[in-house]
């Protein structure tokens, strides 16, 4: 490992510990934004914050090309040891630490003076709309190359291995309501049981058939009907759906089928079913040139034996909205092997922290290679 990166490691450990111990959920990353800003406000860099949202942009260097590194900031809201709380169980604390480490390294060592390095600390990845908010603010309008990163679960990539791209799938989340009338338990002919409608919806969703060569799924993740009186047949219910597909095209087909199923059941049972498609993330759009640069950076820093092929995963990330909304942008994500287990979003997720300085060296190498190229 680069000597300068080794010397930086104790600071990286301190940064990670602070971020891990102070998680904030989507759109509420105010203290995280302030902390990162304070790390660099007396440095030779240009810091941009926003009046209407969390997150910040830090630029060093000048001119073209503009090469960016994005780190997501938000934590999840989940139950940990019986208490609901913000929790960094997706590795965003590590992602921020890696970006901060890369920025530290560039500021404290010689870097190409022709070209701009941009560090994007983005809010609300877990909501699926943080990237879109920054696209709308124009933060990538002048960017030529964009790099991201993500810790990978042990099932995908072992510790010490890195891959030059992550081919995420698309994900959409829906909220639905079933509207009818309640009835007495002794008179089931006087209403339509919302639980029955929900169970039929569950079965029809499981029976959706699309090309089996392309991973996809629709899951009912919540369903609530009825109250404390067991002798009332509920006419109303609420539910939520998690919809995923490996390609954006298959996602469109899934959404169409889900809409058709809800309309069919509403007509069959003469009830109202309202379905609202909410937050979403798009499937990956990677760039061969950016991927080749990242691949060479991996080989240069950790050796060819530790280079893994691009990762294909059904998980999603709103990083890919940058390239969908700005097609000229050349982008890829570094996959970081760290023996992460039991899995992403598990409340007790752990990983080997030794991957952080290694990833700092790789992404910094990729940034500099891109500018020099």
């Amino acid at each position: 490992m680069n000597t300068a990166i080794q010397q930086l490691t104790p600071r990286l450990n301190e940064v990670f510990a602070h971020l891990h111990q102070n998680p904030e959920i989507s759109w509420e990353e105010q203290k995280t934004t302030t902390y990162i800003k304070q790390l660099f406000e007396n440095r030779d860099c240009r810091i941009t914050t926003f009046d209407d949202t969390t997150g910040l942009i830090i630029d060093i260097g000048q001119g073209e090309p503009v090469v960016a590194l994005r780190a997501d900031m938000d934590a999840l809201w989940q139950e940990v040891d019986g208490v609901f709380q913000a929790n960094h169980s997706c590795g965003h604390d590590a992602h921020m630490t890696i970006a901060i480490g890369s920025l530290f390294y560039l500021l404290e060592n010689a870097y190409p003076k022709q070209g701009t390095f941009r560090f994007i600390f983005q809010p609300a990845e877990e909501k699926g709309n943080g990237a879109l908010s920054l696209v709308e603010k124009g933060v990538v309008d002048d960017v030529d190359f964009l790099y991201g990163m993500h810790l990978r679960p042990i099932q995908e990539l072992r510790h010490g291995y890195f891959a030059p791209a992550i081919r995420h799938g698309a994900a959409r989340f829906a909220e639905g309501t079933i509207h009818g009338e309640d009835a007495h338990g002794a008179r089931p002919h006087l209403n339509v049981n919302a639980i029955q409608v929900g169970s039929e919806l569950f079965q029809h969703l499981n029976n959706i058939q699309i090309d089996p060569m392309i991973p996809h799924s629709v899951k009912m993740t919540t369903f609530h009907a009825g109250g404390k009186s067991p002798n009332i047949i509920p006419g109303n219910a609420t539910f939520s759906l998690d919809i995923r597909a490996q390609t954006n095209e298959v996602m469109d087909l899934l959404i169409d089928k889900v809409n058709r199923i809800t309309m069919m059941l509403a007509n069959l049972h003469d009830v109202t079913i309202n379905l609202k498609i909410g937050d979403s993330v798009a499937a990956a759009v990677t760039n061969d040139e950016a991927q080749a640069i990242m691949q060479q950076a991996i080989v240069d820093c950790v050796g060819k034996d530790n280079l893994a092929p691009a990762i294909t995963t059904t998980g999603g990330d709103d990083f890919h909205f940058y390239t969908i909304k700005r097609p000229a942008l050349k982008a890829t994500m570094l996959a970081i092997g760290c023996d992460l287990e039991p899995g992403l979003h598990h409340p007790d997720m752990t990983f080997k922290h030794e991957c952080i300085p290694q990833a700092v060296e790789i992404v910094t190498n990729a940034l500099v290679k891109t500018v020099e190229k």
Side-chain angles (χ1 to χ4, degrees):
M1 185 184 298
N2 184 301
T3 302
I5 299 290
Q6 290 179 326
Q7 295 172 346
L8 190 59
T9 299
R11 260 192 292 169
L12 297 179
N13 293 337
E14 292 176 4
V15 168
F16 176 82
H18 176 90
L19 294 170
H20 184 74
Q21 293 164 11
N22 294 274
E24 295 177 296
I25 61 174
S26 303
W27 300 121
E28 296 183 17
E29 309 95 331
Q30 290 93 349
K31 293 180 181 179
T32 306
T33 300
T34 300
Y35 173 73
I36 297 172
K37 180 181 178 183
Q38 289 175 345
L39 288 175
F40 296 101
E41 58 188 358
N42 295 320
R43 302 276 191 143
D44 183 19
C45 58
R46 303 180 296 282
I47 302 175
T48 301
T49 56
F50 309 99
D51 294 333
D52 58 346
T53 187
T54 49
L56 69 160
I57 312 300
I58 303 178
D59 286 355
I60 64 173
Q62 59 186 355
E64 298 178 345
V66 179
V67 180
L69 178 66
R70 173 269 208 173
D72 30 19
M73 303 170 65
D74 53 332
L76 290 156
W77 184 257
Q78 64 183 161
E79 186 175 0
V80 182
D81 297 329
V83 179
F84 277 92
Q85 61 188 64
N87 186 40
H88 271 304
S89 57
C90 200
H92 295 184
D93 44 1
H95 303 165
M96 287 185 283
T97 303
I98 292 164
I100 289 167
S102 180
L103 184 48
F104 274 148
Y105 179 87
L106 290 174
L107 286 169
E108 297 168 10
N109 297 272
Y111 63 87
K113 298 305 178 184
Q114 181 58 42
T116 301
F117 297 94
R118 176 165 299 163
F119 292 81
I120 300 171
F121 294 93
Q122 178 212 300
E125 187 279 328
E126 296 295 352
K127 289 292 187 181
N129 49 18
L132 288 172
S133 72
L134 295 192
V135 169
E136 292 170 358
K137 293 181 183 300
V139 301
V140 294
D141 285 356
D142 59 344
V143 173
D144 300 289
F145 284 81
L146 174 65
Y147 297 107
M149 72 205 96
H150 210 298
L151 306 185
R152 303 317 304 157
I154 193 171
Q155 298 88 348
E156 290 183 2
L157 200 61
R158 293 301 303 260
H159 175 66
Y161 291 87
F162 298 84
I166 306 174
R167 301 190 183 106
H168 284 104
R172 293 190 186 178
F173 311 101
E175 301 291 335
T177 57
I178 300 169
H179 293 285
E181 296 180 346
D182 290 353
H184 194 289
R187 300 172 180 84
H189 60 291
L190 296 182
N191 86 327
V192 175
N193 190 335
I195 297 174
Q196 177 185 335
V197 178
S199 65
E200 291 181 23
L201 174 60
F202 179 88
Q203 292 297 329
H204 281 290
L205 294 177
N206 284 345
N207 290 334
I208 290 176
Q209 299 291 331
I210 295 178
D211 186 351
M213 299 301 292
I214 302 175
H216 60 275
S217 66
V218 183
K219 290 86 61 183
M220 183 178 288
T221 51
T222 67
F223 188 87
H224 301 282
K228 294 184 178 180
S229 299
N231 63 340
I232 295 177
I233 302 170
N236 300 291
T238 63
F239 62 90
S240 58
L241 305 177
D242 177 295
I243 309 168
R244 295 179 185 265
Q246 199 59 50
T247 69
N248 295 314
E249 293 75 16
V250 169
M251 175 59 76
D252 290 340
L253 290 174
L254 280 178
I255 294 298
D256 180 64
K257 288 182 178 291
V258 170
N259 283 327
R260 288 172 179 267
I261 288 169
T262 56
M263 290 175 58
M264 178 271 292
L265 289 174
N267 291 330
L268 175 64
H269 293 292
D270 196 23
V271 296
T272 300
I273 303 179
N274 294 320
L275 186 67
K276 180 181 178 182
I277 306 296
D279 295 326
S280 65
V281 294
V285 178
T286 58
N287 175 266
D288 290 342
E289 188 176 358
Q291 187 171 328
I293 294 171
M294 185 63 74
Q295 177 170 311
Q296 189 58 53
I298 294 170
V299 172
D300 289 350
C301 295
V302 297
K304 190 173 182 179
D305 290 343
N306 294 87
L307 171 67
I311 299 292
T312 297
T313 178
T314 53
D317 197 297
D318 77 347
F319 176 86
H320 306 294
F321 278 125
Y322 290 109
T323 46
I324 288 173
K325 295 297 182 180
R326 298 293 183 268
L329 192 58
K330 300 175 181 178
T332 194
M333 296 186 78
L334 173 69
I336 302 170
C338 55
D339 285 358
L340 185 154
E341 52 186 350
L344 291 167
H345 291 203
H346 191 284
D348 300 320
M349 182 272 279
T350 62
F351 69 96
K352 291 187 176 178
H353 295 183
E354 296 91 333
C355 73
I356 291 177
Q358 292 177 317
V360 170
E361 185 171 15
I362 292 169
V363 297
T364 305
N365 184 296
L367 293 172
V368 172
K369 279 185 188 302
T370 308
V371 167
E372 291 178 340
K373 184 176 184 301

